[in-house]
Amino acid sequence: MNDWTAITKLNDIPKLGSRIVRTDSVDIAIFRTSDDQVFAIRDACPHKNGPLSQGIVHGTSVTCPLHNWKIDLASGEALGADSGCTNTYETKIENETVYLRSPG
């Protein structure tokens, strides 16, 4: 069974930006770093469910636009003195296309 879904072309995600993939059960934010790494996390901060897709990307983390929590894009863990975690999802890039592994 193929559990990878083509999402978009890499260049359709701005560097240090994001796109949202909506499923029946969750919104997933797909982030692109300045060095073209791609990460996928649940589009909800573990603090107050802020829209992480609207946050500022720096390195391999994103800062929530509501209360400035910093979230590691690889692990979904809050950084610094904050604690909490959001779901992460596997991604891969093949032939400049971004793929997302089906959740669950």
Side-chain angles (χ1 to χ4, degrees), residues 5 20 25-26 43 53 73 95 101:
T5 303
I20 296 176
S25 58
V26 66
D43 190 27
S53 60
L73 292 172
N95 300 319
R101 177 166 268 175

Side-chain angles (χ1 to χ4, degrees), residues 2-87:
N2 184 1
D3 55 352
W4 290 97
T5 303
I7 300 301
T8 189
K9 290 292 189 184
L10 178 63
N11 286 331
D12 289 340
I13 305 170
K15 285 188 184 237
L16 303 178
S18 69
R19 291 288 182 258
I20 296 176
V21 173
R22 298 189 194 286
T23 72
D24 291 339
S25 58
V26 66
D27 287 348
I28 300 171
I30 311 293
F31 291 93
R32 179 181 177 190
T33 64
S34 62
D35 61 353
D36 294 333
Q37 293 181 75
V38 175
F39 297 93
I41 63 174
R42 185 171 160 255
D43 190 27
C45 180
H47 177 229
K48 299 268 185 177
N49 290 318
L52 293 174
S53 60
Q54 296 176 25
I56 296 171
V57 177
H58 41 94
T60 58
S61 62
V62 62
T63 299
C64 180
L66 293 185
H67 301 105
N68 292 322
W69 276 40
K70 292 175 183 60
I71 307 299
D72 181 79
L73 292 172
S75 68
E77 293 281 340
L79 301 172
D82 300 318
S83 64
C85 187
T86 193
N87 298 34

